[in-house]
Amino acid sequence: MISMAAVAISALPAQARPDRSPLGGGPDSQYGCGVGVTRRAVLARAGLSAGTLALGGAARAVAADAEPIRYHGRYQAGVTTPQQARLLFQTFDATARSPHELRALLRAWTDAARVMCEGRPLPGRASRDRAPADTGEALGLAASRLTVTFGFGPSLFHRRYGLAGHRPDALIDLPAFPGEQLDPARCGGDLAVLACADDPQVCYHAVRNLARLGRNIVSPFWAVLGFGRASAGPGQHTPRNLLGFKDGTRNITTQAEYDRFVWVGNSDQAWMNGGTYQVVRKIRMLMETWDVDRGIVGDFPPAQLHRYLDERLAALVAPFGVTVKRFEKRRIGRQLLG
């Protein structure tokens, strides 16, 4: 099964643009970082399992030496930021009773994300019947270059919160592509949080605290863990995916390319300018089947293997009406193989 989410990432957290959110409105402290959470509610409503993360000491050693990444800025961090080693992508369904509640939560999330990206625990003491504001699993850990990126899904702009007129035309649910078997239980979402860091426990801590702050306002939907790099950084080689192919050779790297291909500058909705669009796809990889196929293909001479990749590439782009020139396909095949 495959999961998919199309998300609009706005410039919402930038201090220079406090009123760009389609929700508008002023500050509200009701759902601030110091909001109390009962211990029973923590267990019943957090919706996240601590048993899903395996921790690595190597990542911790690297993360401890890194400077925290500034949360506020012209654009949301976590998009063009040098890639971290780990991520946790979590979607939420909005259950807020009013736009006011949803607006207050987004402001609380912004405050909490800023604090956690600085490597500090959320403020707020525990009492006899209330858990502390911070869950505590990141105490003593470095910020690990944590970034927290927020996005809005197309379904958030349905009529229930009066946001239908604020949805960017480009923000739509993607159709199923040929060969896909989409699982509705793992597709879409009203809101999305992308937490990236060099330590998986720091990612988990960030999302878990945001889920706690959102109790009774949002409900955790589906999530996916990730690791590894998608492109090469300074002094690095192009990484390989789990199938053994180099992945990310042609990824963009310059500010001019980001301005052209990533950041939105002429949206039909003014609040979207300075943001971008994100498509998250969770793909099932049949590694055992691939190992058998690779064993068969591995006996081919290079020219024959390139021809095999040519045919696979042509089949991949054909549904989109795209024809790849022969020399381009050959070059792509060599890049994949390294």
Side-chain angles (χ1 to χ4, degrees), residues 111-330:
D111 292 339
R114 180 182 64 251
V115 171
M116 291 186 290
C117 287
E118 294 171 355
R120 298 187 288 121
L122 300 186
R125 297 181 179 179
S127 63
R128 183 173 182 178
D129 62 343
R130 291 184 180 274
D134 192 276
T135 54
E137 63 268 14
L139 292 177
L141 300 180
S144 302
R145 298 197 302 131
L146 172 67
T147 57
V148 180
T149 311
F150 297 105
F152 303 146
S155 56
L156 184 67
F157 296 87
H158 293 172
R159 295 180 180 179
R160 53 186 164 155
Y161 297 120
L163 300 176
H166 296 280
R167 181 185 64 81
D169 289 341
L171 181 61
I172 59 174
D173 289 315
L174 296 179
F177 295 121
E180 290 186 339
Q181 296 177 336
L182 298 179
D183 181 357
R186 290 182 289 175
C187 292
D190 296 330
L191 296 138
V193 175
L194 173 64
C196 301
D198 290 322
D199 188 327
Q201 188 156 330
V202 172
C203 295
Y204 171 79
H205 168 262
V207 174
R208 183 185 176 201
N209 275 284
L210 296 176
R212 281 169 36 121
L213 287 172
R215 68 187 184 95
N216 299 325
I217 305 171
V218 294
S219 175
F221 188 15
W222 62 274
V224 61
L225 295 165
F227 64 91
R229 294 179 291 107
S231 60
Q236 297 175 331
H237 296 289
T238 302
R240 293 183 183 272
N241 59 28
L242 297 182
L243 300 180
F245 288 117
K246 288 189 173 183
D247 203 344
T249 303
R250 300 296 302 276
N251 282 3
I252 62 177
T253 58
T254 67
Q255 185 59 50
E257 290 173 323
Y258 289 133
D259 290 340
R260 180 181 179 186
F261 299 111
V262 176
W263 302 120
V264 177
N266 58 349
S267 174
D268 57 301
Q269 299 292 337
W271 67 266
M272 187 62 204
N273 291 329
T276 189
Y277 295 97
Q278 178 185 35
V279 177
V280 177
R281 300 170 61 79
K282 183 178 179 181
I283 302 175
R284 182 184 181 190
M285 302 177 71
L286 301 176
M287 301 303 299
E288 293 81 4
T289 303
W290 168 248
D291 288 341
V292 173
D293 290 343
R294 184 170 56 178
I296 297 174
V297 175
D299 294 333
F300 290 0
Q304 202 167 350
L305 182 54
H306 290 158
R307 193 175 305 114
Y308 171 82
L309 292 174
D310 288 348
E311 296 171 355
R312 299 302 301 163
L313 179 63
L316 178 66
V317 301
F320 302 97
V322 176
T323 301
V324 182
K325 294 181 179 179
R326 184 71 180 178
F327 74 88
E328 181 72 10
K329 289 189 293 186
R330 292 239 172 198

Side-chain angles (χ1 to χ4, degrees), residues 63-135:
D65 296 333
E67 289 292 327
I69 296 175
R70 188 171 181 267
Y71 177 73
H72 287 292
R74 180 181 180 186
Y75 305 111
Q76 283 206 63
V79 179
T80 62
T81 305
Q83 292 176 356
Q84 302 95 320
R86 307 281 181 160
L87 70 84
L88 174 54
F89 179 82
Q90 174 74 55
T91 61
F92 294 87
D93 281 337
T95 58
R97 293 165 295 183
S98 68
H100 169 78
E101 282 192 339
L102 194 57
R103 178 171 60 245
L105 174 64
L106 292 177
R107 290 188 178 279
W109 274 3
T110 298
D111 292 339
R114 180 182 64 251
V115 171
M116 291 186 290
C117 287
E118 294 171 355
R120 298 187 288 121
L122 300 186
R125 297 181 179 179
S127 63
R128 183 173 182 178
D129 62 343
R130 291 184 180 274
D134 192 276
T135 54

